[in-house]
Amino acid sequence: MIAIGKRPAKLGEIPSKMKAVVIRSDHLGPPGESMKVEDVDVPEIGASEVLVLVMAAGVNFNGVWAAQGKPVNIMKYTGYDFHIAGSDASGIVWKIGSEVRNWKVGDEVILHCNQSCGQCAACNGQDPMACEEQKIWGYETNWGSFAQFTKVQAQQLLPKPKHLTWEAAASYGLTYFTAYRMLFTRAKIQPGQWVLVWGAAGGLGAFAVQLCKLAGANAIGVVSSADKMAMVKELGAAGAINRKDFKFPAGIAKTSEEKSAESKAMRAFGGKIREFTGGKDVDVVFEHVGQETFSTSVFCVKKFGKIVICGATSGFELNFDVRYLWMRQKEILGSHFANAYECNQANELIVQRKILPTLDQTFKFEETPLAHQLMMDNKHKGKMAILVQAEKPGLGAQV
Ligand code: NAP
């Protein structure tokens, strides 16, 4: 076995065992308690797969879900009795399958997290996200990035931006590529439009703010503290709102008092938005919070406006007054990660330094559970990364 933090002397040499952060069905729970470092076998790869030596890994909310077994115990679907989470990584190609072209051992890469069959009509014309076998690597599949080696499909590889450190390169893929599809492919934002971004200093939101700015749209970032307000303004938001200034009731408003409080808070919140827009409602709402914000999102978007949603951190069961949707002819758009083409387009913007990674904190390998616990407790901002085979922060940038 190779030591954590040491780049093996011989390129392509594969030990039989590796260190991995493992989740098991019998100790699901908060990630700080349920994720454990274990020694496991290095996986074998298939003909169209690649084994990557992980230099650094990115922390995402799907690791928080997997650790808790919520909304499902993911091991029921992967067929393994353990799960290695992690859907973002930077690393070095260590072995390629017999059918892999375009990549060779030694290439420095980052990984996108969409897997699909590659053979069906959806994969070959429509969109790999529509493939019946579509899965998120490191969440719906085992062998994610919180390990010394990870096993991926060759189509998941993207060139590592040369100017980035291993940890910065590992930090952005999942959330940035998701935000790119939400705004450009699904909501089709246009220059001059107003976009309300929930969680604007978080993983998705900090990229949504930057992408709006790049597209000539105006983001209004919603956050929960003064330092996050400063952060989103620095990222290019046209406005920032502290959601703590509004008395939104927790959960779904049920009693008439709760409904009236919610209505009052939504109207005050809408008024605050219009201070930035010059009296207009927003064209698009960037949603991923779910239960606690969705009714406000439906209320605040303009007539014929769009709510694009990819997640539900605060709860999957949504409640909203549908009259605001149909009378004002609004649209709700589901969105999920991104296809390889979108990932490549978006990655090029990072290569060109038009979009910046938002890495805020870097952790040691054994601190992977801690980083996920910080995310679960909403005690982070931007992105967090884990050093795996990178010896220390700051390595890997060439230019
Ligand atoms: P994150 O880094 O934790 O950011 C989420 C932000 O949401 C937080 O910074 C927080 O900001 C805000 N928030 C949390 N609770 C809130 C509440 N009750 N009301 C309003 N805002 C709240 O997470 P992320 O990486 O951006 O991911 C967000 C969600 O999207 C997760 O559920 C994740 O699983 C999902 N997701 C889905 C996909 C997909 O492809 N389908 C991809 C990426 C992420 P403030 O406290 O500052 O307001």
Side-chain angles (χ1 to χ4, degrees):
M1 202 150 64
I2 56 179
I4 287 285
K6 295 276 173 246
R7 194 157 156 172
K10 203 166 161 209
L11 195 65
E13 194 171 42
I14 302 171
S16 59
K17 294 267 182 192
M18 65 176 183
K19 297 235 171 267
V21 176
V22 166
I23 299 164
R24 289 192 179 269
S25 293
D26 58 5
H27 58 77
L28 294 172
E33 293 161 24
S34 63
M35 291 179 151
K36 308 267 183 218
V37 177
E38 288 187 19
D39 296 347
V40 300
D41 289 343
V42 176
E44 296 288 334
I45 56 165
S48 58
E49 292 180 326
V50 174
L51 190 72
V52 174
L53 177 79
V54 179
M55 297 301 284
V59 177
N60 284 297
F61 221 97
N62 64 9
V64 175
W65 298 126
Q68 298 175 90
K70 285 184 183 170
V72 291
N73 175 352
I74 207 66
M75 282 159 274
K76 284 188 182 156
Y77 299 92
T78 61
Y80 288 90
D81 62 355
F82 66 94
H83 182 66
I84 303 171
S87 302
D88 269 323
S90 61
I92 301 169
V93 173
W94 217 247
K95 183 180 180 182
I96 58 171
S98 56
E99 289 172 10
V100 175
R101 293 178 292 129
N102 305 335
W103 300 100
K104 60 180 189 319
V105 171
D107 284 346
E108 296 189 355
V109 294
I110 65 157
L111 305 171
H112 80 69
C113 65
N114 187 51
Q115 297 199 338
S116 62
C117 79
Q119 296 183 19
C120 68
C123 286
N124 289 281
Q126 187 193 11
D127 185 333
M129 294 307 296
C131 171
E132 289 299 329
E133 292 177 32
Q134 185 277 324
K135 289 189 176 74
I136 298 296
W137 155 72
Y139 179 61
E140 292 165 289
T141 74
N142 201 353
W143 310 114
S145 58
F146 300 121
Q148 293 181 297
F149 293 96
T150 186
K151 177 171 91 149
V152 294
Q153 295 178 340
Q155 59 82 21
Q156 288 178 251
L157 272 52
L158 301 162
K160 172 186 167 290
K162 289 189 172 38
H163 65 288
L164 296 183
T165 60
W166 291 114
E167 59 275 19
S171 69
Y172 61 85
L174 186 147
T175 51
Y176 169 48
F177 300 153
T178 303
Y180 183 95
R181 181 179 174 98
M182 287 173 78
L183 292 171
F184 293 155
T185 309
R186 303 294 283 149
K188 297 185 172 58
I189 57 165
Q190 300 295 320
Q193 284 191 326
W194 289 89
V195 182
L196 183 77
V197 179
W198 290 105
L204 289 164
F207 288 115
V209 169
Q210 292 190 65
L211 287 168
C212 285
K213 170 102 176 151
L214 193 67
N218 308 296
I220 301 174
V222 187
V223 290
S224 60
S225 66
D227 64 319
K228 288 183 178 179
M229 284 177 82
M231 176 180 165
V232 299
K233 283 186 198 153
E234 214 165 284
L235 289 171
I241 299 178
N242 188 339
R243 64 182 168 92
K244 300 285 183 193
D245 292 343
F246 301 86
K247 294 190 175 59
F248 290 109
I252 294 175
K254 290 201 179 93
T255 64
S256 57
E257 288 79 23
E258 283 166 351
K259 283 181 186 164
S260 145
E262 185 185 46
S263 172
K264 218 170 150 191
M266 286 195 315
R267 282 169 206 284
F269 187 74
K272 184 73 196 171
I273 291 172
R274 282 185 226 109
E275 284 178 21
F276 295 110
T277 62
K280 293 187 290 187
D281 291 328
V282 292
D283 300 273
V284 173
V285 178
F286 184 90
E287 248 292 352
H288 49 86
V289 181
Q291 192 175 92
E292 303 247 309
T293 53
F294 199 74
S295 55
T296 305
S297 299
V298 174
F299 176 75
C300 286
V301 79
K302 74 170 194 187
K303 280 188 173 179
F304 286 75
K306 298 169 185 172
I307 301 127
V308 60
I309 180 160
C310 77
T313 308
S314 63
F316 299 100
E317 287 175 16
L318 308 183
N319 192 55
F320 62 93
D321 187 335
V322 74
R323 291 170 296 178
Y324 291 120
L325 191 82
W326 95 65
M327 296 291 287
R328 299 178 183 178
Q329 307 198 50
K330 304 176 179 186
E331 282 179 75
I332 299 170
L333 301 166
S335 196
H336 190 42
F337 190 57
N339 61 42
Y341 182 74
E342 291 161 330
C343 296
N344 275 275
Q345 295 287 101
N347 200 43
E348 188 54 32
L349 297 175
I350 300 260
V351 170
Q352 292 175 15
R353 307 184 194 207
K354 289 182 175 156
I355 298 289
L356 305 176
T358 55
L359 179 63
D360 188 56
Q361 289 184 82
T362 302
F363 296 84
K364 294 180 191 152
F365 185 66
E366 59 274 19
E367 293 173 325
T368 306
L370 166 69
H372 283 85
Q373 191 61 49
L374 290 173
M375 180 167 268
M376 183 174 167
D377 298 339
N378 196 16
K379 289 186 176 157
H380 69 299
K381 59 183 180 189
K383 295 295 302 178
M384 296 181 282
I386 308 290
L387 298 178
V388 186
Q389 293 313 115
E391 196 174 356
K392 55 183 183 185
L395 302 178
Q398 290 169 27
V399 280

